[in-house]
Amino acid sequence: MQAISRRLGHRSPISSFKSIYPLSDHLYGADHPRYGSTLATRGVGHLIRKGTGGRSSVSGIVATVFGATGFLGRYVVQQLAKMGSQVLVPFRGSDDDPRHLKLMGDLGQIVPMKYNPRDENSIKAVMAKANVVINLIGRDYETRNYSFEELNHAMAGQLAMISKEHGGIMRFIQVSCLGASASSPSRLLRAKAAGEEAVLREMPEATVMKPAVMIGTEDRILNRWAHFTKKYSFLPLIGDGSTKIQPVYVVDIAAAIIAALKDDGTSMGKVYELGGPEIFTVHELAELMYDVIREWPRYVKVPFPIAKAFATPREILLNKVPFPLPNPKMFNLDEINSLTMDTVVSENALTFSDLGIVPHKLKGYPVEFLISYRKGGPQFGSTISERVSPDSFP
């Protein structure tokens, strides 16, 4: 103890502690030594790593993943945790919302943090220790509390601004939507385009990912169709089902985000359009769904004007009634508007190949989760041709 006291110059333990870990009443500041950036300004290749690269290793990445409790979020968190990263998970709902994510990493690597997305100090607190920020916030319908513009535009710009002020954020990845454009008939896609512009204005070195409609176990397209089909024995096709889309496996999108983090900075400041290897019409994708769940295809074609008439009352009443309205399922006005145009990857856009990834084809493993909708169990279904022989029973 005397030797330690001599080295510290007989200073008190508290003053010595403050010299090593400066304390501040503020959450962070770019000019504060506690949060000043000592990391490489490009890529994450120069971070100190320990271990062999598994969950119990240290990748050097401390990532704040906004929107981690959503569909894509669980796959991104899993990929980050798998390489030994620490993941800060901001959430605003119940404490149970991020519970499933904690199992994906080693002890203490997944850190849920409650926050208020409308409170700037709350956002700063969940980003204070991070060196990577990934924004997955988004929703395909409006609620009484959050509009498309606030959720997809204003919040994205705010996160980019705070990241810029932070001073230690090496990488910022903004996840948008394929087809996002200021001229889109969809308010969601217009808001996403405005969000991209706001992010790149604050942080020109940010990476923007624009995934097509994502397919996976928790998706909001094939699950919705299969559930509706099992309940009502038919599927409404908006328009005539000829709109072209380029659905992509959600695991491939998570892999693209991780690939961008692992590069030497070549993806910084670039926009990637991420669509699957095949282009489907809405009708063809519905046929794939029917084939997997083994039901006879039955469609009711709903012209766009009639579909919009079904969906419009909710939009009109949303902020006029003193109670929350049900979330739209099959007839979402903004989704109907987006289906009036094809949504495919542009000809000269940066894609999966530029990140060194080969995306999965949908037919096969990516849609096997639909087996749970088969009538009679996984081995059966309404269209199955095999019959159980009486001789097979004991």
Side-chain angles (χ1 to χ4, degrees):
M1 288 297 295
Q2 293 178 354
I4 294 174
S5 299
R6 284 196 299 270
R7 285 200 297 269
L8 294 176
H10 300 284
R11 291 178 294 176
S12 68
I14 296 298
S15 62
S16 302
F17 179 79
K18 288 182 177 179
S19 68
I20 302 173
Y21 300 104
L23 304 178
S24 172
D25 293 333
H26 302 287
L27 288 168
Y28 77 89
D31 56 343
H32 199 287
R34 185 181 183 185
Y35 301 106
S37 175
T38 58
L39 302 172
T41 57
R42 296 185 66 81
V44 295
H46 303 290
L47 292 178
I48 297 175
R49 295 180 173 86
K50 295 180 181 179
T52 57
R55 295 182 195 276
S56 297
S57 302
V58 176
S59 71
I61 295 174
V62 181
T64 299
V65 183
F66 290 92
T69 56
F71 173 35
L72 174 59
R74 68 180 61 206
Y75 295 93
V76 174
V77 170
Q78 191 271 340
Q79 291 287 338
L80 286 168
K82 186 178 179 180
M83 58 190 283
S85 304
Q86 187 172 48
V87 186
L88 309 178
V89 179
F91 69 99
R92 63 181 181 87
S94 165
D95 290 343
D96 289 337
D97 289 348
R99 185 173 61 177
H100 62 285
L101 301 175
K102 295 189 71 173
L103 304 175
M104 297 179 179
D106 205 355
L107 184 63
Q109 289 296 86
I110 312 297
V111 185
M113 303 179 70
K114 199 153 192 173
Y115 87 121
N116 180 357
R118 290 188 172 124
D119 181 5
E120 185 173 326
N121 288 333
S122 177
I123 297 173
K124 289 177 179 179
V126 299
M127 290 171 53
K129 297 294 186 181
N131 52 37
V132 169
V133 172
I134 303 173
N135 180 27
L136 308 178
I137 294 176
R139 180 171 284 174
D140 55 2
Y141 59 87
E142 289 186 299
T143 65
R144 299 173 70 217
N145 295 323
Y146 291 97
S147 66
F148 283 135
E149 289 72 25
E150 180 181 9
L151 202 64
N152 301 293
H153 174 198
M155 285 187 185
Q158 184 182 37
L159 294 181
M161 179 188 68
I162 294 173
S163 297
K164 181 180 179 181
E165 293 174 356
H166 182 288
I169 302 299
M170 299 187 321
R171 300 299 301 270
F172 187 101
I173 296 181
Q174 166 72 12
V175 176
S176 182
C177 287
L178 186 64
S181 167
S183 59
S184 173
S186 162
R187 281 182 58 204
L188 167 65
L189 296 179
R190 291 198 299 270
K192 282 291 189 182
E196 293 174 22
E197 185 179 344
V199 167
L200 292 174
R201 183 170 56 248
E202 293 290 342
M203 295 190 71
E205 68 275 17
T207 303
V208 177
M209 303 286 184
K210 302 177 70 170
V213 58
M214 291 180 287
I215 303 298
T217 305
E218 306 85 8
D219 73 27
R220 292 187 290 272
I221 178 168
L222 294 185
N223 276 306
R224 186 190 304 165
W225 287 358
H227 185 268
F228 191 95
T229 297
K230 295 295 290 184
K231 189 174 183 179
Y232 299 105
S233 300
F234 73 93
L235 180 67
L237 278 183
I238 308 300
D240 58 358
S242 62
T243 304
K244 293 180 180 178
I245 56 177
Q246 200 166 345
V248 60
Y249 189 29
V250 63
V251 173
D252 294 331
I253 301 299
I257 293 172
I258 301 304
L261 286 179
K262 285 183 174 180
D263 68 18
D264 58 356
T266 54
S267 62
M268 296 175 72
K270 295 181 180 178
V271 179
Y272 293 85
E273 296 190 6
L274 306 177
E278 300 167 299
I279 295 176
F280 293 80
T281 63
V282 173
H283 181 266
E284 289 170 346
L285 187 60
E287 286 287 313
L288 176 61
M289 181 271 296
Y290 270 114
D291 182 57
V292 177
I293 68 172
R294 293 178 179 171
E295 292 288 341
W296 299 108
R298 297 184 182 92
Y299 301 103
V300 174
K301 293 185 178 180
V302 184
F304 283 111
I306 296 178
K308 291 179 182 179
F310 279 131
T312 299
R314 180 186 183 275
E315 307 303 318
I316 295 175
L317 297 174
L318 184 61
N319 294 310
K320 294 183 179 180
V321 296
F323 52 84
L325 295 174
N327 297 330
K329 298 296 183 183
M330 296 303 298
F331 294 97
N332 180 342
L333 182 59
D334 200 79
E335 184 179 322
I336 294 167
N337 288 331
S338 68
L339 286 174
T340 60
M341 295 181 63
D342 295 339
T343 306
V344 295
V345 173
S346 305
E347 184 176 351
N348 298 318
L350 297 174
T351 61
F352 279 113
S353 61
D354 297 285
L355 293 167
I357 296 173
V358 179
H360 292 76
K361 292 186 176 181
L362 285 192
K363 194 167 185 179
Y365 180 75
V367 294
E368 279 189 357
F369 64 93
L370 291 173
I371 289 175
S372 62
Y373 291 96
R374 289 178 180 173
K375 182 179 180 180
Q379 305 301 323
F380 302 96
S382 299
T383 61
I384 193 168
S385 59
E386 293 84 6
R387 293 293 181 265
V388 178
S389 171
D391 298 332
S392 63
F393 291 98

